[in-house]
Amino acid sequence: MKTIEILTQEAITLLKALIETPSFSSEEDQTALLIESWFTQNGIPFQRENNNVWAFNYHFDKSKPTLLLNSHHDTVKPNQGYTNDPFTAIEKEGKLFGLGSNDAGGCLVSLLATFVHFYQQENLPYNMVMVSSAEEESSGKKGLNSVLQHLPELDCAIVGEPTLMQLAIAEKGLLVLDVVVKGTASHAAHQNEDNPIYNAMNVIHWFKTYQFEKISEVLGPVKMTVTQVNAGKQHNVVPAECHLVVDIRVNDCYTNAEILATVKSHVNAEVNPRSMHLNASFIPLEHGLVQAGIALGRTTYGSPTLSDQSVLSCQSLKLGPGETLRSHSADEFIFINEIEEGIQLYIKILTDFFKQ
């Protein structure tokens, strides 16, 4: 079996190759090949559908519960603030620069190394499945959600996202609404008491001021934000409609369906959700994965950002090297020692979890 030191160096080499291979959401075919090669070099059979690549531990036993390890290999497009080439892996002053290095390449390669470490171990109390998924950044239909049908029932999961290896025990869900406020079209010179733009002001005020009653101990309140307003095409015509886009971050006290029903009961407008499946997630403090992390000095918190946790129905922990504030930033980077620490902590947490 390879030492942790060797696995770590191989993981860093893989991350450099991933950085230098463009993998925008739904265009990850070449990075999927790199991940295939990783499994092949480690003698691990794998499966692939679209750009998702996954593998099971050698001693998989249908009678045992299954633990999922997951992170994604797609990236957003680089923003205009880059001073480095986003597709060149630059190692400098203990940092590894490049698009996707922090979100979530460091997490992915650390979990891959962790999976290899446990792959041939016998008598594990859990099966393990490692899924390197696509389309996470776009919440696409051909990402982790499409792989779940090929997997056994999952008991729990670790989702690799940059958390500074702290324990994100809850994550807000996302509900995006397209809201259409109706009115009466007319010439701007004529009196019109049914201007949809004026009508929209009341709707916007409701979204700004309404407070959902249940406040999560970990995630806080539900947060609603109007992010887009669009109406009218010329100065002398009152339009028939005013269109709003509303971003709602849902805590673990509500389902997306409950939030939608509340909005529809209060708002005098047509309300259409873009999707309903990006729900909030939560794992109890007493869960063995969380307790194993706490015993190693890790702290717990609630995450406001979305990940592939949102498509899982099992209890899941978001945990990984890197820092979320660096995600999608110009000249994105991860510290090399964060990857080293990440692999060590993943292995230690799982080792202690399996002993419980």
Side-chain angles (χ1 to χ4, degrees):
M1 187 172 69
K2 292 180 179 178
T3 66
I4 295 176
E5 291 73 21
I6 290 174
L7 282 172
T8 300
Q9 290 308 308
E10 291 181 350
I12 293 169
T13 298
L14 174 60
L15 178 54
K16 291 177 179 178
L18 291 170
I19 289 170
E20 296 188 347
T21 307
S23 56
F24 305 137
S25 291
S26 76
E27 301 175 17
E28 315 95 338
D29 53 303
Q30 294 303 304
T31 48
L33 290 175
L34 291 174
I35 295 163
E36 287 185 10
S37 179
W38 165 275
F39 283 128
T40 299
Q41 290 168 13
N42 285 283
I44 300 175
F46 61 85
Q47 299 179 54
R48 176 175 174 176
E49 183 177 81
N50 299 310
N51 294 327
N52 304 286
V53 186
W54 68 95
F56 298 94
N57 63 303
Y58 184 78
H59 296 285
F60 186 91
D61 182 343
K62 291 182 179 180
S63 67
K64 295 179 179 180
T66 299
L67 164 71
L68 168 69
L69 303 180
N70 164 250
S71 193
H72 63 95
H73 59 105
D74 64 315
T75 72
V76 295
K77 294 185 178 181
N79 65 50
Q80 295 181 343
Y82 265 83
T83 62
N84 300 325
D85 179 355
F87 302 111
T88 298
I90 301 171
E91 192 172 343
K92 182 180 179 182
E93 298 177 347
K95 302 174 182 178
L96 180 58
F97 291 88
L99 182 65
S101 56
N102 182 77
D103 184 17
C107 301
L108 175 64
V109 300
S110 297
L111 282 172
L112 284 167
T114 300
F115 178 77
V116 172
H117 174 80
F118 287 102
Y119 173 69
Q120 290 198 24
Q121 291 191 24
E122 298 183 50
N123 302 316
L124 293 175
Y126 283 76
N127 298 312
M128 299 182 73
V129 55
M130 174 72 214
V131 179
S132 304
S133 54
E135 297 193 9
E136 188 273 346
E137 296 291 3
S138 61
S139 300
K141 295 181 179 180
K142 296 180 179 179
L144 176 62
N145 52 314
S146 68
V147 176
L148 297 177
Q149 62 182 321
H150 304 301
L151 306 182
E153 182 179 353
L154 300 174
D155 184 78
C156 56
I158 294 178
V159 175
E161 290 285 342
T163 70
L164 289 173
M165 290 305 291
Q166 305 304 329
L167 311 167
I169 60 172
E171 174 186 275
K172 281 191 172 180
L174 174 63
L175 185 61
V176 179
L177 304 179
D178 289 301
V179 179
V180 182
V181 183
K182 303 287 187 177
T184 302
S186 70
H187 194 293
H190 300 153
Q191 187 65 23
N192 184 344
E193 300 300 328
D194 192 30
N195 185 322
I197 298 175
Y198 296 161
N199 295 342
M201 293 170 66
N202 291 327
V203 175
I204 292 171
H205 181 73
W206 183 85
F207 280 114
K208 179 182 178 182
T209 58
Y210 185 82
Q211 299 290 323
F212 283 87
E213 181 179 350
K214 299 176 185 178
I215 299 177
S216 167
E217 293 183 4
V218 181
L219 294 173
V222 173
K223 185 176 187 299
M224 299 192 292
T225 307
V226 177
T227 56
Q228 292 176 250
V229 181
N230 184 38
K233 294 184 178 179
Q234 59 191 73
H235 76 90
N236 59 350
V237 177
V238 175
E241 298 177 345
C242 181
H243 294 249
L244 313 175
V245 176
V246 185
D247 178 294
I248 305 179
R249 303 292 165 153
V250 183
N251 66 22
D252 52 303
C253 301
Y254 296 92
T255 65
N256 286 359
E258 290 172 328
I259 298 295
L260 179 62
T262 299
V263 171
K264 286 187 172 182
S265 69
H266 285 83
V267 168
N268 184 21
E270 179 183 310
V271 180
N272 297 300
R274 293 187 180 179
S275 70
M276 294 293 292
H277 69 278
L278 301 176
N279 289 292
S281 16
F282 177 75
I283 188 169
L285 272 174
E286 59 268 21
H287 193 281
L289 282 173
V290 180
Q291 287 300 309
I294 291 173
L296 294 172
R298 304 291 96 186
T299 59
T300 62
Y301 73 102
S303 172
T305 57
L306 198 70
S307 75
D308 270 335
Q309 278 186 291
S310 62
V311 304
L312 296 174
S313 57
C314 66
Q315 294 178 337
S316 59
L317 174 67
K318 185 157 71 175
L319 173 69
E323 183 176 11
T324 186
L325 294 177
R326 298 183 214 136
S327 299
H328 306 179
S329 64
D331 296 337
E332 179 182 348
F333 71 89
I334 190 169
F335 287 99
I336 295 293
N337 64 11
E338 288 178 328
I339 299 171
E340 296 167 348
E341 178 194 47
I343 294 171
Q344 292 170 4
L345 282 171
Y346 276 144
I347 290 173
K348 182 60 175 170
I349 287 171
L350 286 172
T351 298
D352 293 348
F353 173 59
F354 291 151
K355 289 178 180 178
Q356 295 173 10

